[in-house]
Amino acid sequence: MSTASQLEILSGLCGIALDYHDIWGQRRHVSPDTQRALLAAMGIASATDDEVAIAIRELEQRDWRRVLPPVMVVRRNDAAIDIPLSMPTGMAHRRFQWRLALEDGSCRSGELYPAELAVVAETKVSGASFIRCRFSLSHLPELGYHRFELRDKEDSGQAAHMSLIVVPQRCFSPEALSGEGRVWGLAVQLYALRSQRNWGMGDFTDLRALVKIAARTGAGIVGVNPFHALFPHNPAHASPYSPSSRLFLDVLYLDVEGVDDYAECEAARNIVREPEFQANLRALRATELVDYEGVAAAKFKVLRQLYLNFRQRHLDADSTRGRAFRAFQAEGGKALRLQALFEALQQHFFATDAMIWGWPAWPEPYRDPDAEAVARFAAEQQDQVEFFEYLQWQAELQLAAVGRCSREQGLGMGLYQDLALGVDRGGGEAWANQGLYALGASTGAPPDDFNLNGQDWGLPPMIPRHLADAHYAPFIATLRAGMRHAGAVRIDHVMCLKRLFWIPAGGTPASGAYVDYPLVDLFGIVALESQLNRCLVIGEDLGTVPDAVRDAMSRFGVLSYRLFYFEKDHHGGFKPPGAYPSRALVAVSTHDLPTLCGFWSGADLDARDALALYPSEEMRQQQIATRTQDRGQMLMALERELLLPAAASEHPAGNPEMPAELARAVHVYLARAPSQVMMVRPEDFLGQVDQVNLPGSIDEYPNWRRKLPLNIEEWLAAPRFTELVEALRAERGSSVTPRG
């Protein structure tokens, strides 16, 4: 057998696809160098023929050496499940005790003799004979997380165990979507909200105000950008899709004056009353772009004072609030402690050297969370660590209040949260779970029409076999964190449940490859958490979507994500509203794409040109020509629906401005779709031209910083908003049920 075929076998065992078709239908082959680089990122040596052979043998024998697989995911309607048992042939005549520990605390048990079970496979492992037999477990438990154990009654050693996850047929769907129910709502980048009272960026109190506006206007859902924890030591790291951790919250969204301790802390209020501090707040509110460093400096100055007050008045006195915080710490457990410890350590090292960007740049003794140096730091800097836990507690309280507000206001779906694809390699979650991530690779996407050079998102992917070895616990924890206060979640790049595009460290998207993930297991867990949290699931399925993902989304009840820009027929025309699927969320655009006014004027094309993001002049000219055609096709589509404003005519040459009436007509066009959910972005209805994020750019474009042009207190008096709301209610009705 040739070296190449051996390498391909090893890649296949690790889920690395040897080729793929790009968005233009071309077949791309994955080079041996890429295969070896990705295997190395998974912790598998493959530089030589011998290493490849050894790795193949170890992977093929690994499952045989386990009595039980680490985890099984089964659907509730299965009459029974077959559990594979692997063992040396000589053990087959022994007597085993099995035990099923159920999530509710009860258990079932019995005995089995492997020799009496059906043998499904046999092999040799290091010269010894092994068999695999099948034990049928009837009467499946209820939905949830259970534990199956197997113990050799002739051996007092440790029992083998397996997580047994029983999942439902479909995800949760709210009452608002029953029958022909269709919900519409507002989708915002929370930091971009202006208000008369915030400290320079939108906060959780602004979000509650937006929920109340939604209730007044009939919008049944309010969508937000990811709230994942970022990096307190470096507020300029603003991308919500490159978080430190998806399990915790970005504390810059705290309304400082809304923290309970603020009302009882005279020292904090005195700081805020100072004329210089107030002038600074006015300046922070007035900026066109969020000044994250300025906002963070103002907030942390006061928050530290609030924590000192809380520690003295409540922790030291063991008050009711003090005990509530201790309960929060206990519930957060090791994950919360490690995240707070990471933030304290990172702040400590960054203060001495601004080049220390994350834990891989820390002094060696601190890179292992279980190291003695880390434990010593935690003991010596207990207050610093606890400060970051306190901030998470406050953020949790304020976000929970938003969730309650959405229910009290009667929103049919409530808060709609966004789950980022992954975490930053230098952040707290990667530090705490280093064995889970392929730190020598990044996730991304091959080239496509909107990103002609491809994309490298810089996020280390989870290693599939390590995720299974962890009983899928990291994935489950991420879902729970996102669904806890939400009525709906959007899974960014939902194709990650089937495959991810891995790019080797130092490589480009052209040198990447797809790596497979356990689709049925992951979709099943999504459905389970959806039902447990009563949370609708939307999958962001833009780009190249494998048929298996589409099938799974349909089977498990995950809504598709459809954007007006991309919904075209074979002739390049925009699809009529009736052609949109019902099981979908529809919107004009999203954060990574041009706003409606920017699309119409071609501002995004100008921005790409200015930043040299086109691989060739030919590509630039082609996209300019396509955009000109799109403007004409948009007018034709509106005319077919009798929605073309009377004042609208064929667009002039150059970059025309988009009239408010035309923007409103596009939204009404989309509102006519049978799709169950429709989201509207303020960037589109307020006429903003520049997009939120320009993929392919970093510091040369103000990504994740641009504020909206209007204070939230003024929305209900703004014609562009009120006229759009009236039109959407006429098409879709209200999804708000006032509570008595």
Side-chain angles (χ1 to χ4, degrees), residues 207-492:
L207 185 55
R208 280 203 312 182
L210 183 62
V211 165
K212 293 176 181 178
I213 289 174
R216 288 187 61 178
T217 57
I221 182 172
V222 172
V224 292
N225 56 285
F227 290 158
H228 307 317
L230 295 180
F231 295 84
H233 79 282
N234 180 22
H237 182 121
S239 172
Y241 292 92
S242 183
S244 173
S245 174
R246 294 181 293 178
L247 305 182
F248 302 102
L249 298 169
D250 182 357
V251 297
L252 276 190
Y253 288 119
L254 277 171
D255 169 12
V256 177
E257 295 172 88
V259 175
D260 286 344
D261 298 288
Y262 185 81
E264 63 180 37
C265 183
E266 184 69 20
R269 295 198 304 276
N270 284 339
I271 292 172
V272 176
R273 290 190 192 110
E274 292 173 358
E276 184 178 352
F277 195 93
Q278 285 294 316
N280 183 44
L281 291 186
R282 288 193 295 272
L284 290 171
R285 292 186 194 109
T287 59
E288 294 302 310
L289 302 176
V290 176
D291 176 1
Y292 285 105
E293 293 91 338
V295 171
K299 290 195 174 188
F300 281 120
K301 181 177 183 179
V302 180
L303 286 168
R304 289 189 181 279
Q305 194 69 45
L306 297 185
Y307 168 68
L308 291 174
N309 174 84
F310 173 75
R311 192 178 69 193
Q312 294 163 3
R313 286 179 176 244
H314 298 285
L315 289 182
D316 293 347
D318 192 31
S319 72
T320 300
R321 287 192 68 234
R323 290 192 295 273
F325 175 57
R326 293 301 186 210
F328 174 79
Q329 288 176 303
E331 184 179 355
K334 183 177 181 180
L336 172 63
R337 187 65 173 176
L338 284 178
Q339 182 63 26
L341 187 50
F342 165 81
E343 290 174 351
L345 278 162
Q346 176 58 29
Q347 183 180 70
H348 170 75
F349 291 122
F350 185 77
T352 61
D353 183 353
M355 297 301 291
I356 295 180
W357 53 274
W359 68 267
W362 290 353
E364 183 69 37
Y366 296 89
R367 295 179 193 172
D368 179 357
D370 296 321
E372 181 182 344
V374 173
R376 187 165 57 251
F377 178 91
E380 294 172 353
Q381 301 293 331
Q382 180 178 347
D383 289 346
Q384 286 296 315
V385 176
E386 196 167 73
F387 170 65
F388 289 109
E389 292 178 305
Y390 169 81
L391 295 184
Q392 285 299 323
W393 183 44
Q394 295 305 317
E396 173 70 16
L397 291 173
Q398 292 194 4
L399 182 56
V402 175
R404 286 195 304 274
C405 180
S406 71
R407 294 188 292 273
E408 292 164 358
Q409 294 289 319
L411 270 64
M413 290 178 61
L415 194 62
Y416 161 40
Q417 293 216 74
D418 204 350
L419 298 182
L421 172 64
V423 297
D424 190 285
R425 73 184 69 252
E429 200 169 327
W431 176 64
N433 302 279
Q434 293 171 42
L436 178 64
Y437 292 97
L439 298 172
S442 296
T443 55
D448 60 30
D449 281 330
F450 272 79
N451 301 283
L452 299 170
N453 294 313
Q455 297 183 69
D456 182 343
W457 301 319
L459 308 173
M462 292 184 184
I463 301 171
R465 63 189 175 93
H466 292 186
L467 181 59
D469 288 344
H471 314 288
Y472 299 128
F475 179 67
I476 295 163
T478 298
L479 293 174
R480 288 180 175 174
M483 293 180 177
R484 189 162 55 243
H485 303 300
V489 295
R490 169 188 178 271
I491 298 178
D492 188 37

Side-chain angles (χ1 to χ4, degrees), residues 3 80 84 133 170 180 189 225 285 334 386 425 467 497 567 726:
T3 301
C133 50
R170 295 176 68 80
E180 297 182 357
Q189 302 287 313
N225 56 285
R285 292 186 194 109
K334 183 177 181 180
E386 196 167 73
R425 73 184 69 252
L467 181 59
L497 304 185
E567 294 301 302
E726 184 179 347

